[in-house]
Amino acid sequence: MNTPTAISTPAGSAPVTVVEQQVWQEREARHHERVDTLVAGHLERRRERVAHPVEDFLFTYYSYKPTQLRRWYPGAGVVLLGEAARRRLDERFFTEVRVTGPDGDPAVGVGLDLEAFVAKRGSTARFVVSLLSAVASRPAHLGCFGLHEWAMVYRRNQDEVRHSSVPLRLGAEGTDQVVESHRIQCSHYDAFRFFTPEARPLNRVRPSRETQVELDQPGCLHATMDLYKWAYKLAPAVPGELLVDCFELARDVRELDMRASPYDLGDYGYEPVRIETAQGKAEYMAAQEDFAERGTALRGRLLEACAPLVGTGTADRG
């Protein structure tokens, strides 16, 4: 049973949800099963020391480990009841919380120590809210066609590219021709910073870390994938279910990102999105629009999860 009540913490009074042990343990078990399915392939490949250019990205580019992803958190504003909850007192940012139990009697549960979390991660939470709010206030700009991946291998030989064991679908010369015949307009710094030096001047935008809040927009595949990063950077204040939803979206986006890339991934079972053709461009834009819609929903949920961390009842969405 989930029971709204009030809790008394060093940071003051705030509305919370009280969850009995059986209920939260069922949620935790579902979370474990879900994550185990999602990471099984990666863990098997890691044991066999076999790399995958698409699926391993979320564990190599991003810093969150499978064991961390598997850890379920209830999120801010939730108090867990029962003896099993007390194991979390050994973890960072958890504390005992006095609440009114489901039966109306006083009870002691375990929840996020909001004051301690904000003292340590408050600046991160404020940045995340400012970034996500700015992105949520903008329309999605489509039509970049994933050319950032092409710009990352521009004027490079096969043995010089990031995935050197995967052939370029059009070869080095054909890849360069695609870059040179298109308008490159990547607005995301963490994609732009991997452009080759020769490709950088071809980009119509000069994104930087300092202009990220100004330039990120909801149609950008990398900005959508990064919802996962912002979710795990705010763990354990973000519910585990939301974190895994962000992970799944990032996984799906990464697949499109690489299918539309210059790499030939046929040996891995992926059909290319041939963005150098009109049909491929249309296919890419349709998928990009769908990901933007999914990202908008998750961005809103992340802003709601961040609201207690920035001292507001409802996060400002711009």
Side-chain angles (χ1 to χ4, degrees):
M1 178 178 181
N2 298 354
T3 306
T5 184
I7 88 175
S8 178
T9 71
S13 295
V16 302
T17 298
V18 175
V19 186
E20 293 185 275
Q21 179 168 300
Q22 180 180 348
V23 175
W24 68 257
Q25 285 188 320
E26 289 173 354
R27 287 177 58 187
E28 183 179 49
R30 288 194 297 270
H31 177 86
H32 289 165
E33 292 174 3
R34 185 181 178 193
V35 172
D36 288 345
T37 299
L38 289 169
V39 305
H42 170 73
L43 294 178
E44 179 64 24
R45 288 190 300 274
R46 191 172 70 180
R47 286 190 292 268
E48 297 179 357
R49 297 185 178 182
V50 175
H52 194 292
V54 181
E55 296 181 4
D56 290 344
F57 177 80
L58 297 185
F59 304 103
T60 55
Y61 178 77
Y62 293 114
S63 61
Y64 215 54
K65 300 176 182 178
T67 52
Q68 293 173 298
L69 182 62
R70 193 177 191 271
R71 187 73 172 120
W72 177 78
Y73 297 115
V78 178
V79 175
L80 307 180
L81 297 181
E83 188 62 28
R86 300 190 62 79
R87 294 196 299 267
R88 293 176 182 261
L89 294 175
D90 295 329
E91 300 178 28
R92 194 179 188 190
F93 299 128
F94 282 93
T95 188
E96 287 186 342
V97 182
R98 291 182 176 83
V99 296
T100 301
D103 57 5
D105 293 333
V108 177
V110 176
L112 183 75
D113 188 333
L114 187 59
E115 185 176 48
F117 184 89
V118 170
K120 189 67 177 179
R121 304 267 185 87
S123 60
T124 299
R126 289 188 292 274
F127 171 77
V128 171
V129 168
S130 67
L131 176 63
L132 299 188
S133 297
V135 173
S137 72
R138 299 177 182 131
H141 297 290
L142 310 178
C144 66
F145 306 123
L147 285 163
H148 55 276
E149 288 288 343
W150 298 71
M152 293 177 191
V153 302
Y154 181 61
R155 294 192 180 178
R156 289 294 177 267
N157 296 322
Q158 181 67 48
D159 59 352
E160 297 176 308
V161 302
R162 182 174 186 180
H163 302 290
S164 58
S165 63
V166 183
L168 296 174
R169 185 164 53 80
L170 303 179
E173 184 177 349
T175 298
D176 292 348
Q177 289 176 356
V178 170
V179 173
E180 292 164 357
S181 64
H182 285 77
R183 178 177 178 174
I184 313 297
Q185 47 188 356
C186 177
S187 61
H188 191 70
Y189 173 69
D190 283 318
F192 177 70
R193 68 190 178 97
F194 291 108
F195 280 26
T196 65
E198 296 86 351
R200 282 173 171 258
L202 303 179
N203 198 37
R204 301 296 181 94
V205 190
R206 291 293 179 270
S208 66
R209 185 67 70 206
E210 291 71 28
T211 60
Q212 186 171 10
V213 173
E214 176 185 345
L215 293 179
D216 271 10
Q217 54 91 12
C220 172
L221 294 191
H222 276 260
T224 298
M225 278 195 288
D226 277 352
L227 291 170
Y228 170 58
K229 176 173 69 174
W230 304 128
Y232 74 66
K233 280 185 176 293
L234 293 176
V238 170
E241 292 88 349
L242 175 54
L243 175 59
V244 181
D245 286 346
C246 291
F247 176 89
E248 287 189 325
L249 177 57
R251 178 203 58 183
D252 294 346
V253 170
R254 172 61 177 175
E255 180 177 324
L256 174 66
D257 201 32
M258 289 299 287
R259 288 178 60 214
S261 78
Y263 295 103
D264 184 349
L265 296 164
D267 288 346
Y268 294 89
Y270 296 102
E271 288 292 326
V273 177
R274 303 178 188 276
I275 57 90
E276 70 275 14
T277 69
Q279 181 178 349
K281 285 180 171 63
E283 182 181 355
Y284 184 91
M285 288 183 67
Q288 189 179 20
E289 185 173 21
D290 177 67
F291 288 138
E293 292 177 359
R294 289 173 61 185
T296 293
L298 289 183
R299 193 172 292 109
R301 289 170 60 192
L302 272 175
L303 283 168
E304 291 294 337
C306 287
L309 313 180
V310 295
T312 61
T314 303
D316 181 7
R317 301 196 186 182

